[in-house]
Amino acid sequence: MLYDVRASRAVPETIERAGGVPLVNRVGHAFIKQRMRKEDAVFAGEVSAHYYFRDFWQSDTGIVPFLLMLELLSRSRTNLSEVLAPYRERFFLTGEINTPVADVALKLQELKERYTASGGRISHLDGISIDFEDWHFNVRPSNTEPLLRLNLEALSEELMLEKRDEVLELIRA
């Protein structure tokens, strides 16, 4: 199962718990569909609420996941907030924060230098992703505007707010 670089750590954990193999991917339907075919993936999802199913010709559909969610809620006799509660108690996300920058490449290099020097594990799959034990982030350039898109997650709300402000300060400096 594929998920994009902006996703919560809850996504690969949940895929593994269900017996699947989580595969992180670049953002965008063209990249998702290509990788789905290569890996013969059953499902792919993007943070932007695009969902792809192998048995639906790798096409993007919101109707199938909506119906599956309704079925889950009906069978479990619960509501969506109860289903999501265990995730919302463990994972704290910023959502995507867009910041205009004069020099995208320079800012990405500054982020890389700062956070790899601090022991972060880096990936260049889509922009840069830096991973620490209790928080991680992805910063990727817009394809159409001179701006950077930040998505950050931490294992506490306090840490998420602290790291969000820290990374944004570096991006905006």
Side-chain angles (χ1 to χ4, degrees):
M1 295 187 178
L2 275 66
Y3 64 97
D4 79 50
V5 296
R6 302 170 295 178
S8 167
R9 287 181 177 166
V11 174
E13 283 184 14
T14 302
I15 292 169
E16 287 176 346
R17 198 169 44 253
V21 177
L23 302 170
V24 65
N25 204 74
R26 287 187 66 178
V27 174
H29 76 274
F31 302 112
I32 294 282
K33 289 178 179 184
Q34 179 182 20
R35 180 94 182 269
M36 282 187 79
R37 288 181 186 97
K38 177 184 174 193
E39 304 289 344
D40 195 30
V42 173
F43 174 79
E46 292 187 89
V47 168
S48 54
H50 293 277
Y51 305 103
Y52 310 86
F53 294 84
R54 179 180 60 202
D55 293 341
F56 199 67
W57 308 279
Q58 288 91 16
S59 294
D60 178 15
T61 177
I63 295 170
V64 173
F66 177 71
L67 292 172
L68 291 170
M69 182 187 64
L70 288 177
E71 179 183 29
L72 169 73
L73 296 176
S74 175
R75 288 178 186 230
S76 65
R77 298 190 184 278
T78 187
N79 59 47
L80 187 56
S81 62
E82 290 176 57
V83 171
L84 296 176
Y87 300 104
R88 291 188 170 173
E89 293 166 358
R90 289 185 53 216
F91 303 100
F92 299 86
L93 300 114
T94 61
E96 191 159 85
I97 302 170
N98 295 316
T99 304
V101 295
D103 189 336
V104 168
L106 176 64
K107 285 298 169 187
L108 290 174
Q109 184 62 32
E110 289 175 4
L111 289 163
K112 175 183 174 181
E113 289 172 7
R114 163 81 182 269
Y115 290 105
T116 55
S118 301
R121 294 176 307 276
I122 189 165
S123 166
H124 294 282
L125 181 60
D126 194 349
I128 63 167
S129 296
I130 309 280
D131 192 43
F132 293 91
E133 193 66 33
D134 54 356
W135 72 287
H136 67 105
F137 70 92
N138 171 265
V139 175
R140 61 190 190 87
S142 166
N143 291 324
T144 57
E145 303 170 84
L147 56 84
L148 290 175
R149 303 181 189 282
L150 168 67
N151 287 274
L152 185 143
E153 176 181 49
L155 299 183
S156 75
E157 185 172 18
E158 297 78 21
L159 183 61
M160 181 272 291
L161 295 170
E162 173 192 333
K163 295 302 181 180
R164 176 202 64 194
D165 293 347
E166 179 182 299
V167 174
L168 282 174
E169 183 178 331
L170 184 57
I171 291 171
R172 293 173 177 165

